[in-house]
């Protein structure tokens, strides 16, 4: 693991690191904030998954999580959203496909399957690396994310309820199999058999029997992607009568940007800290 940068913040350390990934077959970059409490004892870890077009840097620079994470004693890990490199397949004219749009799945179709194995990277390789190099209590893990990252967080939590104690999302894509801006990417990554898509679709996972105790979802009513991409009410409907708790908060005048995310970031960190205590 290579250290790209380290900066003191709120008594803790914000670092950016790179490593050669066997899951994605390229070099990956990720960010980790370690709170001051980690000097004394292992701390719970919170995974933040970013949205389309983003890297690890978007939430690190605009998410405003460090002050509260330092206060609550949370390690926050921010991975990249896709594989990177000159030999990685991409679609330069489509921001919903390729680099920056890994959708946290393992692609099965060529040429995407050569590198786009973000599900394995997030659930297996990166946790092993973080557990080796940082003072984390792996028995206390939470996961959250924004947009495409909210989709990733919710599907990963639903598939690993034994690992994660908390999950939340900002403006998540809850039904990517039928959303205008994700279904075309799913077909290219996973093929035309839609049955294969269900394992990466939060609503479909619940319909197929997956369970997780509860979710916190924040959504801006002025989000330009609300009607054709996000549709969080579909998850609320899918979870009805399943025993899954869904707290869906709709906010007037908030859009899809990091102004929205940073406004409610403290709420999400506190939500996770209560469940990771």
């Amino acid at each position: 693991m290579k250290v790209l940068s380290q900066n003191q913040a709120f008594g803790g350390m914000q670092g950016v690191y790179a490593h050669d990934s066997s899951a994605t077959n390229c070099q990956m970059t990720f960010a980790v904030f370690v709170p001051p409490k980690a000097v004394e004892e292992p701390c719970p870890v919170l995974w933040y998954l970013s949205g389309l077009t983003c890297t690890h840097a978007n939430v690190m620079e605009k998410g405003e999580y460090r002050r509260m994470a330092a206060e609550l004693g949370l390690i926050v890990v921010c991975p990249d959203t896709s594989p990177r490199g000159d030999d990685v397949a991409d679609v330069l004219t489509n921001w919903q496909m390729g680099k920056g749009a890994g959708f946290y799945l393992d692609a099965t179709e060529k040429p995407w399957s050569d590198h786009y194995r973000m599900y394995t990277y997030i659930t297996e390789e990166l946790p092993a690396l973080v557990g080796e190099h940082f003072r984390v209590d792996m028995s206390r893990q939470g996961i959250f994310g924004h947009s495409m990252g909210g989709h990733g967080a919710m599907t990963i939590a639903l598939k690993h309820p034994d690992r994660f104690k908390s999950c939340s999302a900002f403006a998540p894509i809850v039904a990517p199999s039928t959303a205008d801006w994700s279904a075309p990417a799913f077909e290219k990554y996973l093929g035309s058999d839609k049955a294969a898509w269900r394992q990466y679709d939060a609503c479909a996972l619940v319909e197929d029997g997956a369970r997780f105790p509860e979710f916190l979802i924040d959504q801006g009513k002025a989000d330009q992607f609300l009607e054709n991409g996000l549709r969080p009410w579909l998850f609320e409907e899918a979870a009805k009568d399943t025993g899954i708790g869904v707290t869906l908060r709709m906010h007037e005048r908030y859009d899809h940007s990091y102004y929205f995310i940073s406004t409610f970031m403290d709420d999400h960190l506190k939500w996770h800290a209560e469940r990771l205590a």
Side-chain angles (χ1 to χ4, degrees):
M1 190 178 75
K2 180 165 52 176
V3 178
L4 300 184
S5 66
Q6 287 182 322
N7 298 94
Q8 191 81 1
F10 297 99
M13 182 67 71
Q14 176 66 70
V16 179
Y17 309 92
H19 72 109
D20 292 329
S21 166
S22 59
T24 63
N25 194 27
C26 65
Q27 182 171 276
M28 296 295 291
T29 302
F30 65 99
V32 182
F33 175 72
V34 179
K37 188 177 181 180
V39 174
E40 305 166 4
E41 61 187 72
C43 291
V45 58
L46 189 53
W47 304 87
Y48 179 90
L49 307 185
S50 290
L52 286 160
T53 75
C54 292
T55 68
H56 69 280
N58 295 73
V59 67
M60 186 180 76
E61 295 169 357
K62 301 184 243 182
E64 301 181 23
Y65 59 82
R66 278 173 288 270
R67 180 188 60 80
M68 185 57 66
E71 181 180 319
L72 297 171
L74 296 173
I75 291 173
V76 181
V77 182
C78 308
D80 202 348
T81 56
S82 77
R84 306 282 176 176
D86 293 340
D87 60 340
V88 173
D90 195 15
V91 181
L92 296 177
T93 57
N94 185 1
W95 60 274
Q96 298 165 335
M97 187 73 201
K99 293 178 187 176
F103 278 98
Y104 304 102
L105 51 76
D106 282 353
T108 56
E109 301 296 302
K110 291 286 189 179
W112 313 103
S113 56
D114 293 341
H115 298 280
Y116 285 79
R117 294 176 48 80
M118 289 300 295
Y119 177 79
T120 295
Y121 177 71
I122 296 295
T123 61
E124 297 180 18
E125 185 175 23
L126 189 57
L129 188 70
V130 168
E132 179 183 354
H133 290 279
F134 299 91
R135 258 192 125 177
V136 247
D137 180 353
M138 283 299 194
S139 69
R140 294 186 290 164
Q141 296 187 61
I143 189 165
F144 69 148
H146 170 231
S147 193
M148 178 184 72
H151 136 75
M154 293 174 70
T155 55
I156 288 171
L158 283 163
K159 293 168 77 169
H160 297 277
D162 54 334
R163 181 187 305 183
F164 297 99
K165 296 183 179 297
S166 58
C167 182
S168 69
F170 302 98
I173 309 171
V174 300
S177 296
T178 59
D180 292 348
W181 66 342
S182 50
F186 269 43
E187 183 167 10
K188 289 175 183 172
Y189 286 140
L190 301 171
S192 58
D193 181 4
K194 293 186 178 181
W197 304 7
R198 297 182 69 82
Q199 62 182 309
Y200 301 114
D201 183 306
C203 288
L205 282 167
V206 170
E207 291 169 4
D208 292 344
R211 296 293 181 263
F212 196 77
E214 56 184 336
F215 294 89
L216 169 64
I217 299 174
D218 276 313
Q219 174 66 61
K221 287 187 177 182
D223 192 318
Q224 65 269 42
F225 305 113
L226 180 58
E227 296 292 337
N228 67 344
L230 308 173
R231 307 171 295 166
W233 51 83
L234 295 180
F235 186 76
E236 195 173 40
E237 293 168 9
K240 188 177 180 181
D241 300 324
T242 65
I244 299 173
V246 179
T247 301
L248 173 58
R249 308 192 304 184
M250 303 293 294
H251 302 280
E252 298 285 350
R253 298 184 297 279
Y254 281 95
D255 58 18
H256 201 67
S257 70
Y258 268 90
Y259 296 109
F260 157 64
I261 296 168
S262 62
T263 299
F264 299 102
M265 178 62 78
D266 281 4
D267 288 356
H268 283 245
L269 294 174
K270 290 174 183 177
W271 162 278
H272 287 279
E274 288 174 3
R275 287 150 183 82
L276 298 175

